[in-house]
């Protein structure tokens, strides 16, 4: 594992054919930061998360993890990154414990059993540990999926809309968990379009629209007014990006 | 390290399959349906044409194998778990080998049922030389699955993957089908000629070695976008 | 288009006009009769078919491991020509076979392996057309496997059955047969180069158009 404390995204673009999903995005984040990616659907949040997770190569530009380039060190970098995707990455046929132990094994965690037990306690699922995930509620799955993403204690955590479909209690619990991770010095990158959550949790936010970074917000309390004004702006470029034939 | 990842992926697939048995049941039943369709198409006056049993057996394996490959990777697509596998710091060829072994095991289990069924329905002496038959089936299945696993894995990201898998897979696996059918047919002959069997087995083993090596070599670049 | 293209296209057109005259004036082969003249089309197209397949395979492997989009464009263009010249080969072959062997199709080694190679190229084009984003890499993988498969198809079909005339007859043909044949081969080769250049050019323009869209967007 390569330990790193900074994430630097420098002029990253990614296109699919003639559709530009990301256009010259630059930002950085240091240790103990919760950084928000805000924007409407199709703004490029998921593409950006996939690039940060080393799953997608940028068409141009670089991502550096504490001085290491993503393309140079695929596997050892991935050992320090945790990802919670929109689809949760869980096998519904397996039990909670089996899911955790399988991924702990893939990430070469030293004591697989202890790590899985700790994750189950953390998720509040110790009493349901040996039940199939197929029978879990959305909230339980979400908590399990988060602990699965954290099982190897990553330095960088990437979350794609983690609050979708959660009730207030689960959302609050998830928020508290993210704040603990921040205390521990992790970098958390969180894609969301929920402004209430964003205001409470984020240290900084970047606002994406049509693949471009349109605003960086350093004060969470200013977020709401900034976001509103950006979303009400007419967009001149949309005429071109809608014409793709793909 | 490599072997541990292979074992983890294989054990995970096995557990998932034992819980649902979905792929096993559908694959086996589909294979049996294929055999019946061929029976109605080919059997005349209660007998299959000479050497027909070997062909029917291998066509059923190829068709059912395609179905099993598609379903196995569709399962990894459901909660985007293939992406989760690729996100892990594990060696990607190890993930390929784990998947390959799972498919081979599943197909061998299906063949365990298919062989007696074909022998029974077409009065073919398939079980006279069980050792040779097992070897031909094993090497042929590995060759088919080696190409199939790679193609099914890379098609997970593609559109129209359901129809593209057989379109890509069958032209490439023609040598496996020919060698499998001819090898099996040679076993059915009244006077046994080991020379013919040796030839087809050698071809199958070479195919397996070349294509597993190629798949291990190209899995990493093919799975990165 | 490069400067040579127009000249070469005119030359190719002239050669295609002259070739039938040469073929018609070539000696009348006694056993096969008129049907033998198919060979002046069949053999050259088969050679170019093979050449396209090699170009496609080599370019695909280079694209897969180096990621150079020019190699990908070359591979795609070559695959289209594999399908085109393969079709000519596979149509003219049976026409000749009907007279020579008394049957349209024989499962002999060269026919079968040509058919399989042609199928792989068609599968490649289907994948490129309907596979969606990322199908460039998948296509390269398919081409690589298709190339590796050639000896296996050849050996397996060969052992299975064979009656195709051996290629070794070509250099020993009397020059009266040979001249139209080689002329025809050069004509086909020229056509191959022209079409390949044309299709690569089309792909280049597609890529340039994509780049333009992207630059307008930025």
């Amino acid at each position: 594992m390569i330990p790193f404390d900074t994430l630097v995204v420098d002029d990253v673009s990614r296109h699919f054919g003639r559709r530009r999903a990301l256009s010259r995005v630059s930002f950085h984040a240091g240790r103990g930061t919760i950084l928000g990616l805000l924007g409407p659907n199709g703004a490029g949040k998921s593409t950006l998360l996939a690039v940060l997770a080393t799953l997608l190569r940028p068409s141009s530009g670089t991502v550096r993890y504490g001085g290491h380039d993503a393309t140079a060190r695929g596997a050892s970098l991935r050992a320090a990154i945790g990802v919670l995707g929109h689809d949760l990455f869980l096998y519904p046929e397996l039990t909670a414990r089996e899911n955790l132990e399988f991924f702990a094994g893939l990430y070469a965690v030293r004591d697989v059993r202890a790590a899985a037990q700790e994750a189950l306690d953390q998720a509040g699922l110790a009493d349901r540990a040996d039940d199939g995930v197929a029978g879990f509620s959305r909230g339980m799955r979400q908590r399990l999926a988060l602990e699965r993403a954290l099982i190897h204690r990553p330095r960088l955590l990437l979350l794609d809309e983690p609050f979708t479909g959660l009730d207030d209690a689960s959302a609050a619990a998830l928020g508290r968990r993210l704040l603990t991770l921040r205390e521990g010095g992790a970098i958390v990158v969180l894609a969301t379009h929920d402004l209430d959550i964003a205001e409470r949790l984020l240290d900084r936010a970047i606002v994406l629209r049509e693949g471009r970074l349109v605003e960086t917000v350093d004060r969470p309390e200013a977020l709401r007014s900034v976001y509103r004004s950006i979303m009400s702006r007419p967009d001149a470029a949309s005429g071109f990006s809608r014409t793709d034939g793909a | 390290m490599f072997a541990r990842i292979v074992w983890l992926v294989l054990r995970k697939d096995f557990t998932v399959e034992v819980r649902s048995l979905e792929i096993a049941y559908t694959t086996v039943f589909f294979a049996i349906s294929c055999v019946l369709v061929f029976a109605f198409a080919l059997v005349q006056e209660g007998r299959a044409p000479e050497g027909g049993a070997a062909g029917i057996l291998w066509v059923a394996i190829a068709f059912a194998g395609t179905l099993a490959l598609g379903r196995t990777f569709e399962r990894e697509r459901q909660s985007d778990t293939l992406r989760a596998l690729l996100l892990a710091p594990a060696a990607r060829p190890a993930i390929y080998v784990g998947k390959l072994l799972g498919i081979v095991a599943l197909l061998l289990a299906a063949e365990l049922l298919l062989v007696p069924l074909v022998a029974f329905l077409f009065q073919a002496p398939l079980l006279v030389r069980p050792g040779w038959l097992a070897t031909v089936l094993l090497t042929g299945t590995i060759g088919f699955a080696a190409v199939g696993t790679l193609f099914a894995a890379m098609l997970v990201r593609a559109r129209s993957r359901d129809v593209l898998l057989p379109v890509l897979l069958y032209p490439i696996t023609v040598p496996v089908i020919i060698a499998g059918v001819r090898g099996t047919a040679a076993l059915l002959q009244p006077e046994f000629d080991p020379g013919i069997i040796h030839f087809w087995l050698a071809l199958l083993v070479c195919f397996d070695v070349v294509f597993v090596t190629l798949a291990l070599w190209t899995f990493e670049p093919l799975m990165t976008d | 288009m490069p400067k040579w293209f127009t000249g070469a296209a005119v030359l190719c057109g002239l050669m295609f006009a002259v070739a039938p005259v040469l073929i018609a004036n070539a000696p009348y082969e006694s056993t096969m009769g008129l049907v033998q003249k198919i060979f002046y089309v069949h053999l050259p197209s088969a050679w170019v078919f093979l050449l396209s397949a090699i170009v496609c395979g080599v370019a695909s492997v280079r694209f897969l491991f180096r990621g150079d989009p020019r190699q990908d464009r070359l591979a795609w263009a070559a695959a289209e020509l594999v399908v085109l010249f393969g079709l000519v080969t596979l149509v003219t072959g049976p026409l000749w076979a009907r007279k020579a062997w008394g049957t349209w199709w024989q499962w002999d080694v060269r026919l079968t392996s040509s058919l399989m190679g042609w199928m792989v190229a068609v599968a490649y084009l289907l994948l490129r057309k309907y596979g969606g984003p990322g199908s460039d890499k998948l296509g390269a993988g398919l081409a690589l496997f298709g190339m590796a498969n050639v000896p296996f198809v050849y050996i397996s079909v060969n052992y299975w059955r064979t009656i195709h005339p051996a290629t070794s007859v070509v250099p020993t043909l009397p020059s009266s047969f040979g001249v139209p044949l080689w002329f025809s081969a050069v004509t086909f080769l020229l056509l191959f180069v022209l079409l390949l250049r044309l299709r690569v050019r089309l792909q280049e323009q597609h890529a340039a158009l994509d780049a333009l869209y992207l630059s307008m967007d930025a």
Side-chain angles (χ1 to χ4, degrees), chain B residues 8-118:
Chain B
L8 274 173
V9 173
L10 180 63
R11 195 183 55 179
K12 184 269 298 171
D13 276 352
F14 186 76
T15 317
V16 169
E17 186 50 38
V18 166
R19 297 265 158 84
S20 72
L21 286 174
E22 179 208 349
I23 298 176
Y25 281 148
T26 50
T27 301
V28 167
F29 194 75
F30 181 74
I32 293 172
S33 310
C34 285
V35 171
L36 288 183
V37 169
F38 278 100
F40 298 136
L42 298 178
V43 172
Q44 285 185 342
E45 293 165 12
R47 284 203 70 85
E50 200 195 340
I56 289 162
L57 179 65
W58 279 93
V59 170
I61 292 169
F63 282 11
T66 315
L67 192 80
L69 283 164
R71 289 300 309 158
T72 306
F73 282 92
E74 194 56 34
R75 190 180 265 168
E76 291 284 5
R77 230 173 62 83
Q78 226 132 56
S79 316
D80 219 0
T81 43
L82 187 68
R83 195 179 251 244
L85 293 180
L86 297 178
L87 276 168
R92 288 181 176 171
I95 295 170
Y96 166 81
V97 175
K99 281 274 164 210
L100 170 64
L101 292 179
I103 302 273
V104 168
L106 184 78
L107 288 181
L108 289 179
E111 287 158 18
L112 223 52
L113 276 167
L114 269 180
V115 168
L117 183 78
V118 170

Side-chain angles (χ1 to χ4, degrees), chain A residues 107-154:
Chain A
Y107 279 89
V109 172
R110 222 167 278 144
D111 189 345
V112 168
R113 279 174 189 222
Q117 188 56 50
E118 197 190 323
L120 285 165
D121 293 337
Q122 190 62 253
L125 290 166
D127 52 333
R128 300 289 302 272
D130 298 308
D131 293 353
V133 171
F136 283 16
S137 71
R138 171 82 196 180
M140 290 160 77
R141 281 184 206 210
Q142 190 82 38
R143 294 205 303 270
L144 179 64
L146 178 69
E147 294 309 323
R148 184 211 70 78
L150 291 171
I151 197 131
H152 56 293
R153 303 180 185 279

